[in-house]
């Protein structure tokens, strides 16, 4: 009698196993996505917050970019605890954590259900990044301007959104599409090398295009009376220093940060699967790496 009940219990357990395994696998991936995204953001946000402040202060004429960078990095090293509680850091940390976690999660869900992640990553990743960045840029523009705080013009919001959409596209959407071409003739790079090159260079290259957009969006707030001729002159005067700053903030934010995020996601995923085995998870033995 007991043997029959045990057989029935085992059969029910066996039938429910694939469904629970899939749920467990997705849960592990999503947990890895969150941990990797937050950890990477904590690594890159301090540097980017200093650079963003320098770019905004320099564009408004409030403070020279070089001086702002030196003071900012000095404060970060001398008093890191105080630095990590500043609104400027927290605003940038929110942008990167939201962006990384969203793109990681979209990629995992799409992989889990065997569908392409290109469009979902572009739509959802852009929506989250642009939304958070618009709020951050509004704060930075007001904090480091030379005029009294006032509402940002709608045109500034639109230009900020265009700038960030370009960055997100080259940071999360284009690298996996361009990487295979670098693995073929005439480049013949290894997959890891091609992934690294595309992740590091594409977000930086797009800054060449987005710098004028960034400068005009700030000038609409700081100098609303400027004419088109004034703004062309402004772009010529501040292009290279701003381009340097934008590339400098992109390298840790979406270049190195993108590489670290992928590595952390993979490593955390492996660690969590090993932990599942240690706790005798009945489904862990069937889990395979992505």
């Amino acid at each position: 009698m007991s043997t029959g009940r045990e057989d029935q219990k085992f059969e029910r357990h066996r039938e429910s196993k694939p469904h629970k395994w899939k749920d467990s696998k997705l849960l592990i991936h999503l947990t890895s996505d969150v941990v990797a995204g937050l950890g990477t953001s904590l690594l890159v946000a301090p540097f980017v917050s200093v650079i963003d402040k320098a770019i905004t202060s320099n564009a408004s004429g409030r403070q020279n970019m070089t001086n702002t960078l030196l003071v900012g990095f000095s404060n970060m090293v001398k008093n890191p605890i105080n630095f990590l509680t500043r609104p400027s850091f927290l605003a940038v940390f929110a942008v990167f954590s939201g962006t990384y976690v969203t793109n990681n999660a979209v990629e995992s869900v799409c992989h889990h259900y065997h569908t392409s992640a290109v469009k979902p990553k572009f739509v959802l990743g852009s929506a989250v990044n642009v939304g958070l960045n618009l709020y951050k840029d509004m704060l930075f523009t007001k904090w480091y301007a030379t005029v009294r705080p006032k509402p940002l013009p709608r045109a500034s919001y639109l230009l900020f959104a265009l700038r960030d959409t370009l960055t997100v596209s080259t940071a999360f959407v284009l690298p996996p599409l361009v990487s295979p071409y670098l693995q073929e003739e005439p480049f013949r790079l290894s997959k890891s090398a091609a992934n690294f090159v595309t992740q590091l260079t594409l977000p930086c290259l797009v800054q060449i295009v987005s710098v004028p957009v960034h400068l005009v969006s700030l000038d609409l707030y700081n100098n609303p009376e400027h004419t088109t001729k004034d703004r062309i002159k402004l772009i010529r005067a501040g292009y290279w220093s701003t381009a340097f700053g934008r590339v400098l903030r992109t390298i840790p934010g979406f270049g190195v940060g993108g590489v670290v995020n992928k590595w952390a996601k993979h490593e955390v995923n492996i660690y969590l699967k090993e932990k599942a085995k240690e706790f005798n998870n009945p489904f862990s033995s069937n889990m395979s790496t992505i």
Side-chain angles (χ1 to χ4, degrees):
M1 294 294 293
S2 61
T3 303
R5 287 196 299 269
E6 288 177 358
D7 290 343
Q8 292 176 2
K9 184 177 179 181
F10 173 79
E11 189 64 25
R12 288 195 302 270
H13 171 75
R14 187 176 65 83
E15 290 176 353
S16 65
K17 191 173 182 179
H19 177 70
K20 290 185 177 180
W21 166 67
K22 289 183 178 179
D23 290 342
S24 300
K25 184 178 180 181
L26 181 59
L27 179 60
I28 286 178
H29 285 318
L30 292 176
T31 303
S32 304
D33 296 336
V34 174
V35 173
L38 294 178
T40 304
S41 300
L42 187 61
L43 175 68
V44 303
F47 298 94
V48 176
S49 64
V50 171
I51 298 168
D52 277 357
K53 178 181 177 180
I55 293 173
T56 309
S57 298
N58 184 70
S60 69
R62 178 171 177 169
Q63 194 172 4
N64 176 272
M65 182 179 291
T66 302
N67 291 337
T68 310
L69 288 173
L70 292 175
V71 172
F73 287 127
S74 176
N75 291 335
M76 183 175 68
V77 173
K78 291 180 179 179
N79 198 344
I81 301 300
N82 176 266
F83 182 89
L84 295 179
T85 60
R86 292 182 178 181
S88 56
F89 164 77
L90 296 175
V92 174
F93 177 78
V95 172
F96 280 100
S97 58
T99 302
Y100 281 132
V101 170
T102 299
N103 280 278
N104 287 348
V106 168
E107 189 176 73
S108 291
V109 171
C110 289
H111 178 83
H112 184 76
Y113 290 104
H114 308 288
T115 184
S116 172
V118 175
K119 289 183 179 179
K121 282 175 72 175
F122 175 75
V123 174
L124 294 177
S126 295
V128 171
N129 180 267
V130 170
L132 292 173
N133 249 319
L134 284 178
Y135 183 69
K136 186 269 293 180
D137 286 328
M138 178 195 70
L139 294 176
F140 272 59
T141 302
K142 292 181 178 181
W143 289 340
Y144 308 119
T146 54
V147 297
R148 296 182 63 180
K150 57 184 178 181
L152 259 69
R154 291 183 180 180
S156 291
Y157 282 115
L158 291 174
L159 291 173
F160 281 142
L162 173 61
R163 178 206 64 191
D164 295 332
T165 301
L166 291 172
T167 301
V168 169
S169 299
T170 55
F172 295 101
V173 179
L174 288 183
L177 299 179
V178 176
S179 177
Y181 291 99
L182 297 183
Q183 300 171 39
E184 299 174 354
E185 295 290 348
F187 305 103
R188 299 189 64 182
L189 296 179
S190 66
K191 182 178 180 180
S192 59
N195 290 342
F196 180 81
V197 169
T198 53
Q199 187 66 65
L200 189 65
T201 58
L202 292 178
C204 292
L205 289 175
V206 80
Q207 302 309 316
I208 297 173
V209 178
S210 67
V211 164
V213 176
H214 180 77
L215 288 173
V216 171
S217 62
L218 292 175
D219 195 58
L220 287 169
Y221 178 87
N222 293 313
N223 302 291
E225 75 283 356
H226 272 184
T227 63
T228 301
K229 186 177 180 180
D230 292 330
R231 294 202 167 100
I232 292 175
K233 184 178 179 180
L234 174 75
I235 292 171
R236 288 176 176 174
Y239 181 87
W240 291 112
S241 61
T242 305
F244 170 76
R246 293 290 300 172
V247 170
L248 191 64
R249 64 131 18 222
T250 301
I251 291 174
F254 292 107
V256 176
V259 174
V260 171
N261 176 58
K262 287 183 178 180
W263 171 83
K265 177 181 176 179
H266 177 72
E267 293 299 318
V268 173
N269 193 42
I270 293 176
Y271 174 80
L272 291 178
K273 288 177 181 179
E274 290 299 323
K275 283 297 180 181
K277 292 179 181 179
E278 290 180 11
F279 282 100
N280 297 317
N281 187 323
F283 312 113
S284 63
S285 61
N286 291 306
M287 294 179 184
S288 59
T289 58
I290 295 179

